[in-house]
Amino acid sequence: MAKDAPELLVHKEWLGQIQQVGLVVSPAVLVRRGVGIDRQKALDVQRRIESIATLDEDDTPRIADFAAFAGEVLEWPADILPPAPASLSVSLPEHDDVLSPSFAVSDGGTDLQVRPQVLVSVVSGNFDTLPDHHTGWRATPHARLERLLRENEVPIGLLYNGTALRLVYSPRGESSGHLTFRLKDLLHTQGRPMAGALDALLNGAHFIGVFPDERRLPALLKESRKFQNEVSTKLSGQVLEALWELLRGFQRANEETGGRMLADVLREDSNEVYGGLLVTLMRLVFILYAEDRGLMARGEVYQKHYSLLGLFKRLQDDDANHPDTMDARYGAWAQMLALFRLVHDGGSHGELRFPARHGRLFDPDAYPFLEGRPAGSRRSKGEITQAPQVSDGAVFRILRNLLILDGERLSYRALDVEQIGSVYEAMMGFALRQAAGPSIAVQPKHIVFDVSELLEQDGKKRAAWLQEHTEAKVTGEALAKARTPDDVVAALGRKVSLHTPHLMKAGDIYLQPTEERRRSGSHYTPRSLTEPIVRTTFRPIFERLGEQATPEQILDLKVCDPAMGSGAFLVEACRLLADRLVRAWETHRQTPKVPDDEDVVTYARRLVAERCLYGVDKNIFAVNLAKLSLWLATLAREHPFTFLDHALRHGDSLVGLSREQIACFNWEEDKQLPLLRGLIDERVKRAQRLREQIQGMATSDDVPAKARLLREANDALEEVRRIGDLVVSAFFEREKPKDRHTLRNLYAGQVLDAVGGGGPGLQSRPDRITFHWEIEFPEVFTRDNAGFDAFVGNPPFAGKNTITASSGANYLQWLLAIHEESHGNADLVAHFYRRALISAE
C-alpha cells in the first residue's frame, strides 16, 4: 500500500482527533488546494489562547468574549464583526420565538447588503443539550443555528460558548456536518495539529480577500462535498469487487466440501446465493455505519471480540506479518456470523448489551447457506454447526474494499444515507450463473462468456462474435489465431475484467449482468436533487393543511415512490415529514415522551417511516436496500429496526389490476362477477384491519407481533392476488386480443369453480411480477381521501426498444392496453406518470 504524503497525514491526524460529524472538510481537498498546517502558527495560536483565557473551577480554559477570541486568536480585523442586521432574524410564530445570529460576517468585510458568508451564534452551555430554562422553541443551540442557516440560505455557521468553537456546514438540500475545536484540547501538545487546523480554516485572511477564492473557506467546504461524491463513485467499484471477492470465497468454501455446501441452493434457485451475498455486504455496511456513529455496543469487550473495525485491524496485522498464509487461515467468517446473530437476536452479558434489531436483513434463516446450513433449514438455538470455510484472506479483502479508499480509512460517519444507498445500488442487476466451460469476463460491461464457444467460431469472425455477445471490442490478429483458452485470455489483454483475473472452470459460479443492468446501470441521486424535489412536492400539501396542522394530519399523509431503488427519495420524504411532525407537536404542545436513546427528530422519523411511507420496486434486492436506507435514517441505539415490511414491497408497479378489474376478471373494466366481488370485499376488509393495527403499533418495539399481523394480512389477500395474477397471465400468455380473451374466459371458469368450492383450486401464481395497488395497500385506497397524497421518485427511463428487449414484446402491449390513448413510442417514464395519476385519484 502506497504511503500517504506528509501533508495528507497531518490533516488526517487532526481530523482523527476531532472526529468530524458528517462531512465538513476532506483531507484530500485541503492538500489539493494547498492548505497546510503551519507548526509555528499552531504554536502562536496556543500562546494567544493562553494569554487571554481564564480557568474555570475545573481548570477548563475559557474566553468569554467571542470578539476577543476572534480578534486575538483568529486574527480577525476589528471591523469584521458588526451587529447582525434584523433582516437575518427568523420569526417562529408557532413557538412565539425569534432566531437571530449574534454576528454576521460578510464576504469581504462589513458590507452586509450582500449575503453573509458566516453567521455566528454565541450561546451558553453545551451545543447539543436542551436548555434548562427557555421559552419558545425548545431546541439545542446547534439545531437553532442550523435552522437559522437554512432559512437565510447561508451554509456556514459558527457556534461559540467560551470553551469551544464549532464550525457548522449546512448547505441547503444537503446533510449538515460540523467540527468542534475545544480550547482545552487545543492547548495540549498533541493538540497542536488541531490548533494549526483552526488557523488554516478560520484565520481572518479567509474573510478579507487575502487568499484566492479557491483557497477560501466556502470553496474548501464546497469542494469537499463535491469530492465526497467522487468518493461514492469510487466506493461503488470497490463494493462490487467486494461482492466478487465474497463470491470467490464461497466458491472455494464450496469446493472444500466437494460441492455439497451449495448443491441444494444452486439447484433450487441460484439467485438465492446472489441474494445471500448481497445481504452479507448490506449487513457489513450497516454495522460499519453504526460503529462509526457510536450506535453499537460500547465497551472493551465489543471492541476486542466483536467489532468489525477491530476485526479488520487484526486481519490487517496478520496480513502484514503472514501474507502467504491468509487464505489458509479461518475464523474471521465465524466471528462475523456471531455478530450478525447478536444484532438480530440481541443479547447481553455484563457490560455488553445488544438490543434485538429483528428484521430480515440479519435473520439467520433468511439465507441458511451463509451459516453452512442446508437450504430451507431453520436454526436451532444451541445447535453447533460448521461455518463455511471462507478464508481470513477473503474476509480481509472484503473489509479492505469497504474501509480503505485511496489508501485512506473511509469514515461511514461522513457519508449520507443516500450515498451509502447509491454505493450498494451498484451491486443490483446481476444474475448468478454457473460456468459450463472455461469462462472469463471482459470490459466494459464485465459480461462473462464461455471461451470454448468463442474458439468454435471461425478465426476471422471471433472479434464480431465477441462484440455481439459482450460489447467488447478487440483488435489485432491474436484472437483469430488463438488455439487454447489461455491464448484467448492473452489476446484479450487489458479487456479482461478485474473481477475474473483468471479463467473460471466448469461449475464455477459468477455474476452475469442482466439485460436491464447492461442497458441502464445505476445512477447516484444525491440529496441536493432529492431535497428540492421532495420539498416542492409537499409545498401545496403543507399550504393546504396550514401552519396549525395537527400531528395526526401529518401522520395521515401517504407518500409513495413507485420505483424506489435504494430509497433516496423516501429517505428525504422521511426527513421532511418528520421535521413537520415535530413542528406540529410543538405547536399543539403535544411533544411525546421520547425514549432516552433517541432525540425527538429520530423518534418522529420512525413514526413517519411506519405510517406515511410506501414504495415498490420490481427488483427484490432493491427493496431490501431501500429498507436498509430507511433503517440507517431512523436508527436508534436501543431499538429494533423500524418495521417497513408492510409498506416497502416487491412488485412491478406497471403490471397489476384495480379492485374493480379483479372483480370483473378483466384488464378492461367490465361486468362484475358477484361471487368474486363478495370474496374480494371480505378479504380486503380483513387485511385492512390487520394492516391498520400494524400502523397503530408504530411506537411499539414488538416487531414479532407486527410480523404476525402482516402474515395474517397477506394470507387473507393471497387468493385475491392469485385471481388478479391469472387475469394478467391470460394477457401475457397470448399474442392476439381474441386469444387473450378466450384464455381469460377459461381461467374465469376455473376461478369461479374454485371460489364456489366445486373446483380443484386456483393455479399457482405466474412467473410475471405483478402488483395490484388497491389490494396491496387497502388502507390507502379505502380511506375518505382515497389514494396517495404524493408521489416522489425518479422512475426508470426506457425507449420502446429497451422496453421490449428487457421485458418482452407483450409488456409494451400491456402498457398500451391499460393506458388508453398512450403511444407505442412513449418512454417508460410516461407510463409511471399515468400509474401515479391513477393511484392518486
Side-chain angles (χ1 to χ4, degrees):
M1 187 181 296
K3 291 185 178 180
D4 291 335
E7 56 270 26
L8 186 62
L9 286 172
V10 172
H11 285 305
K12 289 182 180 180
E13 180 184 3
W14 73 262
L15 278 168
Q17 292 171 329
I18 282 185
Q19 287 292 304
Q20 66 177 327
V21 176
L23 178 68
V24 183
V25 290
S26 162
V29 169
L30 295 177
V31 173
R32 185 186 298 174
R33 292 295 173 87
V35 179
I37 303 298
D38 188 318
R39 297 285 180 175
Q40 184 56 52
K41 295 222 53 172
L43 281 169
D44 291 343
V45 168
Q46 290 180 320
R47 292 192 189 104
R48 292 196 294 268
I49 292 174
E50 288 177 333
S51 69
I52 62 172
T54 59
L55 295 180
D56 288 346
E57 292 180 358
D58 59 355
D59 290 334
T60 299
R62 174 182 297 275
I63 303 173
D65 184 358
F66 176 76
F69 174 83
E72 296 296 327
V73 178
L74 301 180
E75 300 182 308
W76 287 12
D79 62 351
I80 204 173
L81 286 176
S87 60
L88 295 175
S89 295
V90 175
S91 177
L92 304 177
E94 68 273 22
H95 304 296
D96 192 22
D97 202 351
V98 176
L99 303 178
S100 300
S102 305
F103 303 99
V105 182
S106 72
D107 188 1
T110 59
D111 183 8
L112 292 177
Q113 297 306 310
V114 296
R115 181 175 297 170
Q117 185 176 351
V118 178
L119 298 183
V120 181
S121 181
V122 179
V123 300
S124 60
N126 190 288
F127 297 148
D128 303 305
T129 302
L130 289 171
D132 292 331
H133 305 287
H134 181 76
T135 57
W137 184 32
R138 258 181 79 75
T140 66
H142 181 97
R144 293 173 69 86
L145 176 61
E146 277 202 18
R147 183 161 181 185
L148 186 66
L149 294 174
R150 287 197 303 270
E151 297 287 348
N152 281 293
E153 298 188 5
V154 176
I156 304 173
L158 292 176
L159 265 178
Y160 186 75
N161 65 1
T163 63
L165 176 74
R166 175 174 289 181
L167 170 61
V168 180
Y169 188 49
S170 185
R172 188 178 183 99
E174 299 181 35
S175 297
S176 66
H178 61 265
L179 292 167
T180 305
F181 297 90
R182 293 177 176 82
L183 302 189
K184 177 176 62 175
D185 298 334
L186 296 178
L187 292 178
H188 292 156
T189 301
Q190 61 267 34
R192 200 161 292 157
M194 285 188 283
L198 176 67
D199 180 78
L201 293 176
L202 292 171
N203 186 279
H206 281 280
F207 306 107
I208 58 175
V210 173
F211 293 143
D213 285 348
E214 65 271 13
R215 280 203 50 195
R216 298 172 72 183
L217 185 64
L220 294 176
L221 304 189
K222 187 175 182 179
E223 182 66 16
S224 292
R225 287 296 173 100
K226 183 179 178 182
F227 178 77
Q228 193 73 352
N229 292 342
E230 296 175 15
V231 166
S232 298
T233 302
K234 290 182 181 179
L235 184 58
S236 294
Q238 291 191 187
V239 167
L240 188 54
E241 177 53 35
L243 180 64
W244 274 92
E245 188 61 61
L246 183 58
L247 179 73
R248 290 189 286 266
F250 266 88
Q251 172 68 44
R252 288 190 288 269
N254 189 47
E255 290 172 352
E256 289 295 319
T257 67
R260 294 186 301 277
M261 187 182 79
L262 296 179
D264 290 344
V265 66
L266 287 173
R267 181 174 58 253
E268 294 175 12
D269 184 1
S270 62
N271 276 327
E272 277 290 292
V273 176
Y274 173 45
L277 302 182
L278 283 181
V279 158
T280 298
L281 292 185
M282 289 182 193
R283 290 173 178 179
L284 293 177
V285 74
F286 166 81
I287 295 171
L288 292 173
Y289 180 91
E291 287 186 354
D292 271 353
R293 299 241 166 176
L295 295 171
M296 293 297 282
R298 295 168 173 167
E300 184 181 352
V301 173
Y302 177 76
Q303 295 303 323
K304 188 174 181 180
H305 299 288
Y306 294 97
S307 163
L308 281 184
L309 294 176
L311 174 62
F312 176 67
K313 181 63 171 63
R314 292 196 298 276
L315 292 174
Q316 199 172 33
D317 292 342
D318 288 347
D319 184 65
N321 296 321
H322 311 287
D324 297 334
T325 63
M326 289 295 288
D327 286 310
R329 303 170 64 182
Y330 305 93
W333 181 256
Q335 178 178 327
M336 291 202 305
L337 290 178
L339 178 57
F340 295 163
R341 281 203 177 192
L342 272 173
V343 172
H344 181 270
D345 297 344
S348 61
H349 181 75
E351 67 174 12
L352 185 69
R353 185 174 185 277
F354 282 87
R357 300 285 185 180
H358 299 296
R360 182 174 168 80
L361 178 63
F362 284 92
D363 186 351
D365 291 328
Y367 296 97
F369 80 90
L370 294 175
E371 298 191 342
R373 295 188 284 115
S377 66
R378 308 290 294 179
R379 64 172 170 153
S380 176
K381 289 189 177 181
E383 177 187 8
I384 298 176
T385 59
Q386 177 63 50
Q389 293 293 288
V390 178
S391 73
D392 287 359
V395 173
F396 171 61
R397 290 186 290 272
I398 291 164
L399 292 176
R400 184 175 61 191
N401 273 303
L402 300 183
L403 281 167
I404 305 298
L405 193 69
D406 294 332
E408 181 180 341
R409 157 76 163 89
L410 179 70
S411 172
Y412 282 82
R413 185 189 188 103
L415 290 177
D416 272 347
V417 171
E418 290 88 344
Q419 289 174 308
I420 293 174
S422 75
V423 164
Y424 283 79
E425 204 167 19
M427 300 188 300
M428 304 298 168
F430 290 94
L432 190 134
R433 300 282 183 262
Q434 283 187 277
S439 302
I440 200 90
V442 288
Q443 301 183 68
K445 296 294 181 69
H446 305 285
I447 297 171
V448 177
F449 72 98
D450 189 328
V451 176
S452 300
E453 289 186 36
L454 176 71
L455 288 172
E456 291 172 359
Q457 310 303 314
D458 180 88
K460 295 180 180 179
K461 297 180 180 179
R462 288 175 181 172
W465 184 94
L466 186 68
Q467 184 172 350
E468 177 186 352
H469 287 80
T470 70
E471 301 184 37
K473 297 179 181 179
V474 177
T475 58
E477 297 291 323
L479 189 64
K481 295 179 179 179
R483 294 291 177 265
T484 67
D486 287 334
D487 292 342
V488 172
V489 174
L492 293 173
R494 294 182 178 179
K495 290 291 182 181
V496 173
S497 169
L498 295 176
H499 301 319
T500 56
H502 309 290
L503 272 170
M504 294 183 290
K505 61 184 181 301
D508 283 358
I509 50 180
Y510 63 88
L511 299 173
Q512 187 75 300
T514 61
E515 186 68 32
E516 183 179 2
R517 180 182 178 88
R518 296 182 199 183
R519 293 177 179 272
S520 61
S522 169
H523 302 283
Y524 169 42
T525 309
R527 192 178 178 191
S528 58
L529 292 181
T530 61
E531 192 275 340
I533 289 172
V534 172
R535 175 166 36 86
T536 301
T537 300
F538 274 93
R539 182 182 297 122
I541 296 173
F542 290 157
E543 289 175 351
R544 171 173 55 82
L545 294 177
E547 289 297 323
Q548 295 298 312
T550 66
E552 200 56 34
Q553 284 178 305
I554 302 300
L555 289 171
D556 279 344
L557 295 173
K558 308 295 183 186
V559 56
C560 180
D561 186 340
M564 60 186 164
S566 64
F569 284 91
L570 290 177
V571 167
E572 188 57 37
C574 184
R575 292 189 185 109
L576 182 142
L577 286 173
D579 288 347
R580 191 65 183 82
L581 176 59
V582 171
R583 285 177 57 189
W585 281 337
E586 293 167 345
T587 298
H588 295 277
R589 303 187 185 281
Q590 295 177 4
T591 301
K593 175 73 170 69
V594 176
D596 292 339
D597 65 315
E598 292 184 286
D599 57 39
V600 68
V601 173
T602 303
Y603 185 76
R605 287 178 182 177
R606 291 168 71 85
L607 286 178
V608 165
E610 288 206 29
R611 290 190 54 176
C612 304
L613 305 183
Y614 293 79
V616 181
D617 203 287
K618 67 187 295 185
N619 185 328
I620 193 168
F621 303 122
V623 178
N624 292 333
L625 181 54
K627 290 178 185 177
L628 174 62
S629 295
L630 279 165
W631 284 335
L632 295 177
T634 61
L635 187 60
R637 182 189 298 280
E638 302 295 337
H639 287 273
F641 290 132
T642 307
F643 190 77
L644 302 169
D645 292 355
H646 64 299
L648 302 190
R649 300 291 304 280
H650 174 227
D652 189 332
S653 291
L654 300 179
V655 181
L657 303 172
S658 68
R659 189 166 168 174
E660 185 73 16
Q661 288 169 324
I662 297 175
C664 297
F665 203 80
N666 199 333
W667 51 87
E668 300 165 352
E669 291 190 5
D670 198 356
K671 186 166 63 175
Q672 293 183 7
L673 304 180
L675 197 59
L676 291 190
R677 169 56 73 188
L679 172 74
I680 293 169
D681 288 349
E682 187 270 327
R683 297 296 179 82
V684 171
K685 183 182 259 187
R686 187 194 311 172
Q688 180 179 339
R689 286 198 304 268
L690 293 164
R691 290 175 61 87
E692 286 174 345
Q693 286 183 55
I694 294 172
Q695 294 196 329
M697 296 173 64
T699 59
S700 169
D701 285 347
D702 193 349
V703 173
K706 295 177 186 178
R708 175 182 54 78
L709 290 170
L710 181 58
R711 285 195 300 272
E712 292 175 7
N714 285 334
D715 289 345
L717 292 173
E718 184 57 29
E719 194 169 14
V720 180
R721 288 193 190 105
R722 289 178 182 271
I723 294 170
D725 287 351
L726 279 174
V727 181
V728 173
S729 184
F731 186 98
F732 280 93
E733 288 177 14
R734 297 292 184 267
E735 301 290 334
K736 297 180 180 179
K738 181 179 179 182
D739 294 339
R740 287 169 177 158
H741 282 289
T742 298
L743 183 59
R744 181 186 63 79
N745 289 331
L746 174 64
Y747 284 163
Q750 295 174 358
V751 167
L752 291 175
D753 286 344
V755 172
L762 295 178
Q763 296 181 15
S764 58
R765 298 175 66 184
D767 292 336
R768 172 66 57 179
I769 299 171
T770 63
F771 195 78
H772 310 294
W773 286 83
E774 295 178 14
I775 301 302
E776 301 297 349
F777 297 143
E779 70 278 9
V780 175
F781 291 95
T782 57
R783 59 184 184 151
D784 292 339
N785 181 28
F788 287 98
D789 297 285
F791 277 85
V792 293
N794 183 21
F797 287 73
K800 174 182 178 181
N801 294 336
T802 301
I803 295 173
T804 301
S806 61
S807 302
N810 284 351
Y811 194 88
L812 183 58
Q813 293 303 313
W814 168 265
L815 297 177
L816 297 178
I818 62 169
H819 294 151
E820 295 180 0
E821 300 181 3
S822 58
H823 196 284
N825 290 326
D827 196 280
L828 185 65
V829 72
H831 293 282
F832 274 93
Y833 275 105
R834 291 284 296 267
R835 175 71 269 178
L837 287 172
I838 293 171
S839 299
E841 290 177 354

mmCIF file of all heavy atoms in Angstrom, residues 488-511:
data_model
loop_
_atom_site.group_PDB
_atom_site.id
_atom_site.type_symbol
_atom_site.label_atom_id
_atom_site.label_comp_id
_atom_site.label_asym_id
_atom_site.label_seq_id
_atom_site.Cartn_x
_atom_site.Cartn_y
_atom_site.Cartn_z
ATOM 1 N N VAL A 488 -6.685 -17.224 -25.687
ATOM 2 C CA VAL A 488 -7.757 -16.221 -25.753
ATOM 3 C C VAL A 488 -7.549 -15.156 -24.684
ATOM 4 O O VAL A 488 -7.655 -13.956 -24.945
ATOM 5 C CB VAL A 488 -9.144 -16.890 -25.596
ATOM 6 C CG1 VAL A 488 -10.226 -15.824 -25.460
ATOM 7 C CG2 VAL A 488 -9.434 -17.789 -26.780
ATOM 8 N N VAL A 489 -7.255 -15.593 -23.448
ATOM 9 C CA VAL A 489 -7.037 -14.638 -22.359
ATOM 10 C C VAL A 489 -5.877 -13.718 -22.690
ATOM 11 O O VAL A 489 -5.944 -12.493 -22.473
ATOM 12 C CB VAL A 489 -6.784 -15.386 -21.035
ATOM 13 C CG1 VAL A 489 -6.405 -14.402 -19.927
ATOM 14 C CG2 VAL A 489 -8.023 -16.171 -20.620
ATOM 15 N N ALA A 490 -4.810 -14.265 -23.249
ATOM 16 C CA ALA A 490 -3.659 -13.439 -23.629
ATOM 17 C C ALA A 490 -4.043 -12.446 -24.716
ATOM 18 O O ALA A 490 -3.610 -11.283 -24.703
ATOM 19 C CB ALA A 490 -2.511 -14.333 -24.096
ATOM 20 N N ALA A 491 -4.873 -12.881 -25.673
ATOM 21 C CA ALA A 491 -5.301 -11.988 -26.753
ATOM 22 C C ALA A 491 -6.196 -10.870 -26.246
ATOM 23 O O ALA A 491 -6.177 -9.751 -26.769
ATOM 24 C CB ALA A 491 -6.029 -12.790 -27.829
ATOM 25 N N LEU A 492 -6.975 -11.155 -25.225
ATOM 26 C CA LEU A 492 -7.869 -10.129 -24.668
ATOM 27 C C LEU A 492 -7.092 -9.044 -23.933
ATOM 28 O O LEU A 492 -7.521 -7.892 -23.881
ATOM 29 C CB LEU A 492 -8.873 -10.776 -23.717
ATOM 30 C CG LEU A 492 -9.905 -11.718 -24.349
ATOM 31 C CD1 LEU A 492 -10.715 -12.418 -23.276
ATOM 32 C CD2 LEU A 492 -10.834 -10.955 -25.293
ATOM 33 N N GLY A 493 -5.965 -9.397 -23.334
ATOM 34 C CA GLY A 493 -5.114 -8.416 -22.667
ATOM 35 C C GLY A 493 -5.856 -7.630 -21.605
ATOM 36 O O GLY A 493 -6.474 -8.200 -20.701
ATOM 37 N N ARG A 494 -5.844 -6.310 -21.729
ATOM 38 C CA ARG A 494 -6.459 -5.441 -20.715
ATOM 39 C C ARG A 494 -7.984 -5.461 -20.758
ATOM 40 O O ARG A 494 -8.622 -4.849 -19.903
ATOM 41 C CB ARG A 494 -5.962 -4.010 -20.887
ATOM 42 C CG ARG A 494 -4.471 -3.853 -20.610
ATOM 43 C CD ARG A 494 -4.048 -2.409 -20.745
ATOM 44 N NE ARG A 494 -2.628 -2.228 -20.429
ATOM 45 C CZ ARG A 494 -1.996 -1.066 -20.483
ATOM 46 N NH1 ARG A 494 -2.659 0.040 -20.832
ATOM 47 N NH2 ARG A 494 -0.717 -0.993 -20.181
ATOM 48 N N LYS A 495 -8.545 -6.128 -21.738
ATOM 49 C CA LYS A 495 -10.007 -6.240 -21.783
ATOM 50 C C LYS A 495 -10.543 -7.204 -20.723
ATOM 51 O O LYS A 495 -11.740 -7.200 -20.428
ATOM 52 C CB LYS A 495 -10.456 -6.732 -23.163
ATOM 53 C CG LYS A 495 -10.280 -5.720 -24.273
ATOM 54 C CD LYS A 495 -11.242 -4.555 -24.113
ATOM 55 C CE LYS A 495 -11.107 -3.551 -25.248
ATOM 56 N NZ LYS A 495 -12.037 -2.410 -25.085
ATOM 57 N N VAL A 496 -9.663 -8.042 -20.162
ATOM 58 C CA VAL A 496 -10.102 -8.975 -19.129
ATOM 59 C C VAL A 496 -10.553 -8.188 -17.896
ATOM 60 O O VAL A 496 -9.850 -7.295 -17.421
ATOM 61 C CB VAL A 496 -8.973 -9.957 -18.754
ATOM 62 C CG1 VAL A 496 -9.392 -10.816 -17.559
ATOM 63 C CG2 VAL A 496 -8.639 -10.846 -19.941
ATOM 64 N N SER A 497 -11.712 -8.525 -17.383
ATOM 65 C CA SER A 497 -12.259 -7.840 -16.210
ATOM 66 C C SER A 497 -11.443 -8.148 -14.968
ATOM 67 O O SER A 497 -10.989 -9.285 -14.769
ATOM 68 C CB SER A 497 -13.714 -8.259 -15.988
ATOM 69 O OG SER A 497 -14.188 -7.816 -14.735
ATOM 70 N N LEU A 498 -11.296 -7.140 -14.116
ATOM 71 C CA LEU A 498 -10.614 -7.354 -12.839
ATOM 72 C C LEU A 498 -11.389 -8.321 -11.944
ATOM 73 O O LEU A 498 -10.819 -8.905 -11.017
ATOM 74 C CB LEU A 498 -10.431 -6.014 -12.123
ATOM 75 C CG LEU A 498 -9.512 -4.997 -12.809
ATOM 76 C CD1 LEU A 498 -9.516 -3.692 -12.020
ATOM 77 C CD2 LEU A 498 -8.097 -5.542 -12.941
ATOM 78 N N HIS A 499 -12.679 -8.488 -12.219
ATOM 79 C CA HIS A 499 -13.485 -9.386 -11.397
ATOM 80 C C HIS A 499 -13.155 -10.854 -11.662
ATOM 81 O O HIS A 499 -13.451 -11.712 -10.821
ATOM 82 C CB HIS A 499 -14.978 -9.146 -11.648
ATOM 83 C CG HIS A 499 -15.423 -7.747 -11.349
ATOM 84 N ND1 HIS A 499 -14.987 -7.043 -10.246
ATOM 85 C CD2 HIS A 499 -16.268 -6.907 -12.009
ATOM 86 C CE1 HIS A 499 -15.545 -5.843 -10.234
ATOM 87 N NE2 HIS A 499 -16.323 -5.735 -11.295
ATOM 88 N N THR A 500 -12.603 -11.147 -12.826
ATOM 89 C CA THR A 500 -12.210 -12.526 -13.139
ATOM 90 C C THR A 500 -10.763 -12.505 -13.636
ATOM 91 O O THR A 500 -10.508 -12.620 -14.834
ATOM 92 C CB THR A 500 -13.132 -13.132 -14.211
ATOM 93 O OG1 THR A 500 -13.109 -12.279 -15.378
ATOM 94 C CG2 THR A 500 -14.557 -13.262 -13.707
ATOM 95 N N PRO A 501 -9.821 -12.352 -12.728
ATOM 96 C CA PRO A 501 -8.419 -12.254 -13.141
ATOM 97 C C PRO A 501 -7.882 -13.537 -13.759
ATOM 98 O O PRO A 501 -6.863 -13.519 -14.456
ATOM 99 C CB PRO A 501 -7.683 -11.930 -11.835
ATOM 100 C CG PRO A 501 -8.588 -12.425 -10.755
ATOM 101 C CD PRO A 501 -9.973 -12.255 -11.273
ATOM 102 N N HIS A 502 -8.574 -14.667 -13.512
ATOM 103 C CA HIS A 502 -8.139 -15.954 -14.059
ATOM 104 C C HIS A 502 -9.332 -16.653 -14.700
ATOM 105 O O HIS A 502 -10.490 -16.379 -14.375
ATOM 106 C CB HIS A 502 -7.543 -16.843 -12.964
ATOM 107 C CG HIS A 502 -6.486 -16.164 -12.149
ATOM 108 N ND1 HIS A 502 -5.247 -15.839 -12.658
ATOM 109 C CD2 HIS A 502 -6.493 -15.740 -10.860
ATOM 110 C CE1 HIS A 502 -4.528 -15.252 -11.721
ATOM 111 N NE2 HIS A 502 -5.268 -15.165 -10.611
ATOM 112 N N LEU A 503 -9.024 -17.577 -15.589
ATOM 113 C CA LEU A 503 -10.081 -18.370 -16.210
ATOM 114 C C LEU A 503 -10.870 -19.139 -15.156
ATOM 115 O O LEU A 503 -10.299 -19.737 -14.245
ATOM 116 C CB LEU A 503 -9.479 -19.373 -17.195
ATOM 117 C CG LEU A 503 -9.258 -18.915 -18.642
ATOM 118 C CD1 LEU A 503 -8.428 -19.949 -19.380
ATOM 119 C CD2 LEU A 503 -10.585 -18.679 -19.352
ATOM 120 N N MET A 504 -12.188 -19.098 -15.271
ATOM 121 C CA MET A 504 -13.028 -19.927 -14.418
ATOM 122 C C MET A 504 -13.212 -21.277 -15.098
ATOM 123 O O MET A 504 -13.257 -21.374 -16.324
ATOM 124 C CB MET A 504 -14.389 -19.252 -14.197
ATOM 125 C CG MET A 504 -14.318 -17.971 -13.402
ATOM 126 S SD MET A 504 -15.961 -17.248 -13.105
ATOM 127 C CE MET A 504 -16.389 -16.710 -14.760
ATOM 128 N N LYS A 505 -13.349 -22.303 -14.286
ATOM 129 C CA LYS A 505 -13.548 -23.644 -14.824
ATOM 130 C C LYS A 505 -15.023 -24.005 -14.774
ATOM 131 O O LYS A 505 -15.836 -23.319 -14.124
ATOM 132 C CB LYS A 505 -12.718 -24.659 -14.044
ATOM 133 C CG LYS A 505 -13.065 -24.755 -12.568
ATOM 134 C CD LYS A 505 -12.125 -25.699 -11.856
ATOM 135 C CE LYS A 505 -12.481 -25.810 -10.364
ATOM 136 N NZ LYS A 505 -12.422 -24.507 -9.676
ATOM 137 N N ALA A 506 -15.396 -25.065 -15.448
ATOM 138 C CA ALA A 506 -16.783 -25.524 -15.457
ATOM 139 C C ALA A 506 -17.258 -25.754 -14.024
ATOM 140 O O ALA A 506 -16.557 -26.351 -13.211
ATOM 141 C CB ALA A 506 -16.908 -26.805 -16.270
ATOM 142 N N GLY A 507 -18.463 -25.237 -13.718
ATOM 143 C CA GLY A 507 -19.039 -25.383 -12.389
ATOM 144 C C GLY A 507 -18.815 -24.192 -11.484
ATOM 145 O O GLY A 507 -19.507 -24.049 -10.474
ATOM 146 N N ASP A 508 -17.845 -23.313 -11.822
ATOM 147 C CA ASP A 508 -17.620 -22.119 -11.014
ATOM 148 C C ASP A 508 -18.823 -21.187 -11.108
ATOM 149 O O ASP A 508 -19.506 -21.129 -12.137
ATOM 150 C CB ASP A 508 -16.370 -21.385 -11.482
ATOM 151 C CG ASP A 508 -15.086 -22.057 -11.003
ATOM 152 O OD1 ASP A 508 -15.188 -23.061 -10.278
ATOM 153 O OD2 ASP A 508 -13.997 -21.577 -11.358
ATOM 154 N N ILE A 509 -19.065 -20.460 -10.027
ATOM 155 C CA ILE A 509 -20.184 -19.528 -10.019
ATOM 156 C C ILE A 509 -19.679 -18.117 -10.316
ATOM 157 O O ILE A 509 -18.562 -17.752 -9.956
ATOM 158 C CB ILE A 509 -20.932 -19.561 -8.674
ATOM 159 C CG1 ILE A 509 -19.968 -19.416 -7.484
ATOM 160 C CG2 ILE A 509 -21.732 -20.841 -8.546
ATOM 161 C CD1 ILE A 509 -20.648 -19.448 -6.128
ATOM 162 N N TYR A 510 -20.512 -17.330 -10.989
ATOM 163 C CA TYR A 510 -20.131 -15.963 -11.338
ATOM 164 C C TYR A 510 -21.381 -15.093 -11.425
ATOM 165 O O TYR A 510 -22.524 -15.587 -11.419
ATOM 166 C CB TYR A 510 -19.350 -15.926 -12.653
ATOM 167 C CG TYR A 510 -20.123 -16.398 -13.876
ATOM 168 C CD1 TYR A 510 -20.908 -15.509 -14.616
ATOM 169 C CD2 TYR A 510 -20.050 -17.724 -14.308
ATOM 170 C CE1 TYR A 510 -21.599 -15.929 -15.740
ATOM 171 C CE2 TYR A 510 -20.738 -18.149 -15.430
ATOM 172 C CZ TYR A 510 -21.519 -17.255 -16.140
ATOM 173 O OH TYR A 510 -22.212 -17.670 -17.245
ATOM 174 N N LEU A 511 -21.164 -13.781 -11.495
ATOM 175 C CA LEU A 511 -22.250 -12.808 -11.602
ATOM 176 C C LEU A 511 -22.335 -12.292 -13.024
ATOM 177 O O LEU A 511 -21.369 -11.733 -13.556
ATOM 178 C CB LEU A 511 -22.010 -11.641 -10.644
ATOM 179 C CG LEU A 511 -21.942 -11.994 -9.164
ATOM 180 C CD1 LEU A 511 -21.519 -10.786 -8.343
ATOM 181 C CD2 LEU A 511 -23.283 -12.532 -8.674
#
